[in-house]
Amino acid sequence: MKIGVSALATDKIKFEDEIEYYANLGLDCVEILHDFPNDEFDLDILNSYDINYSIHSPFNDLNIASLDKHIRRTSINEVKSSIDLANKIDAEVVVIHPGKISYGARNYVDYVYELNDDAFKEIANYAHDAGVYPCFENMPDIEGFMYKDVNQLMNIIEEVDGYMTLDLGHAHTNNYKPEELYFDRVKHIHVHDNDGSDDTHLTLNEGTFNLNNFFNLFEKKGYSDVYLLELHSKESIKNSLDFINNL
């Protein structure tokens, strides 16, 4: 079982200032949030550590499905910049959020999905050309978020020849059970917990998602990529690692 961790736990601090902490965890992957305040990196520092990275592309203030063509183009280009960064630090996986349905776009939902899917295709092609896995993420049950339905997301992923970042906490807010979440194109998994009502990124086993069944199922199915802890604090990381070690 490969275990990784997201830098979400220290997302208000420059990643280079916390890289020693992540390196000392000795895990199989560290996911960088390519977003403010970590929108630029010292590549010499990143490459000086024996860390396997993945990259979470930016999503704050961005929308790859925006009705505004300038915002949409900028958003797509920002995702592409994460793919470029992946090549510079030998990261194989880039995590990508779908777009959002803004207040003014509520009367154009079908068209917004068309724009999103066109963006997915462009991003997937760019990633393939760069030798990077484009991993599109399922979203939580929050108004305006797209692709909360994992089956709907998988359909477009297959169409654009992409991969899925399966987010367990997001799926739990949409009432999915572990047995409904396995797909061959799941390449990356974000692991955190909640009570099913809100995307709170709790320590593992502090919420109500059936994590034991989930891990048992995915191990039996032969999932061989990273289970990545996406949590809000170092203490939560420690306690979640303890939970995994005691499975």
Side-chain angles (χ1 to χ4, degrees), residues 5 24-26 40 45 60 99 101 103 112 115 117 128 144-145 151-152 183 193 202 213 216 226 230 234:
V5 65
N24 288 338
L25 288 173
E40 294 182 351
I45 293 177
N60 288 324
I101 301 170
Y103 181 84
V112 172
L115 294 173
D117 296 351
H128 289 315
F145 278 31
N151 295 291
Q152 181 191 24
F183 302 93
D193 211 346
L202 296 178
N213 282 3
N216 287 336
V226 170
E230 195 177 46
K234 294 179 179 180

Side-chain angles (χ1 to χ4, degrees), residues 2-3 31-32 53 57 85 87 92 102 114-115 132-133 165 180 198-199 212 215-216 221 231:
K2 297 177 183 176
I3 304 298
E31 186 157 292
I32 297 171
Y53 296 106
S57 63
L85 174 62
N87 265 326
E92 292 188 346
S102 64
E114 288 180 21
L115 294 173
V132 173
Y133 291 104
T165 293
E180 299 173 299
D198 193 14
D199 182 31
N212 286 290
F215 282 115
N216 287 336
K221 291 283 191 179
L231 304 163

Side-chain angles (χ1 to χ4, degrees), residues 5-12 15 22 30-33 229 231:
V5 65
S6 167
L8 177 67
T10 56
D11 67 333
K12 296 179 177 61
F15 179 74
Y22 290 107
V30 177
E31 186 157 292
I32 297 171
L33 277 67
L229 299 172
L231 304 163

